[in-house]
Amino acid sequence: MTDAVLDHSRQSMEQGSKSFAAAARLFPAAIRDDAWMLYSWCRHCDDEIDGQVLGHGAVGIDPVLAGEKLAELRVRTAAALAGEPQADPVFTAFQRVATRHGIPADEAMDLLQGFEMDVVGRRYDTLEDTLDYSYHVAGVVGVMMARIMGVEDAPTLRRAQDLGLAFQLTNIARDVVEDAGAGGSICPAPGWTRRACRATKWISPSTARPSPVRPSAWSRRPSPSTPPPGGGCVI
């Protein structure tokens, strides 16, 4: 018998991320299926806020409309977590995986808070700001994915969070010059100090070399299910 919800989730990953789809094939079937379903919800939320389809063709949307969409995502996600019947396969899928693996509501909401940071146009002038954002849009996804893989102990969940942070920081480092030229919101100052810098300072690749992050900065990273420094609830 065909599982329409699972099928929808699989197609979402295959069309939204070829690399994730390839990696998912390495999992045992049960973990792979749940990874598809978690991805489907994450992908849908991101698409709604960015005005795109399956991660492609982002055009951006009016901040007011984005705020309305975010509010709706919060309501629908909360309803799914509360066990209310869902008609949309995206939220049915998330409900299944969250229930099966005991994903805490605050972790799901932390991810949505990360999207709120995009909606309000928050800037990230310090390392602490950037880690806060990276936790909300990626670190917490690593934690939820680890739960799907059967992880329950805090130290291992912490390492899964770190991997999510690393992925996001890699993406930021890759795109920082291009984003700065377009007026991007992440602007790493030399040494990642607290003083703000102008985006134009980083347009030239020859000057876009922020100093390495000091290891001591990582001592302030948040624990799973705990807001990062200066942060609120989970996206």
Side-chain angles (χ1 to χ4, degrees), residues 31 53 72 102 128 138 149 188 234:
I31 295 177
V53 178
E72 181 182 359
E128 287 79 6
M149 298 173 72
V234 181

Side-chain angles (χ1 to χ4, degrees), residues 69-102:
K69 286 180 173 290
L70 179 62
E72 181 182 359
L73 289 172
R74 282 179 163 140
V75 169
R76 297 179 72 183
T77 297
L81 289 166
E84 298 178 16
Q86 301 297 308
D88 189 323
V90 167
F91 290 92
T92 301
F94 181 67
Q95 184 177 68
R96 284 188 192 178
V97 74
T99 300
R100 181 151 45 234
H101 299 285

Side-chain angles (χ1 to χ4, degrees), residues 195-213:
R195 92 177 161 276
C197 65
R198 291 188 174 183
T200 53
K201 184 175 181 180
W202 298 99
I203 292 177
S204 170
S206 65
T207 61
R209 296 193 181 94
S211 302
V213 175

Side-chain angles (χ1 to χ4, degrees), residues 177-195:
V177 175
E178 179 182 349
D179 289 349
S185 58
I186 295 179
C187 185
W192 293 87
T193 66
R194 286 188 176 277
R195 92 177 161 276

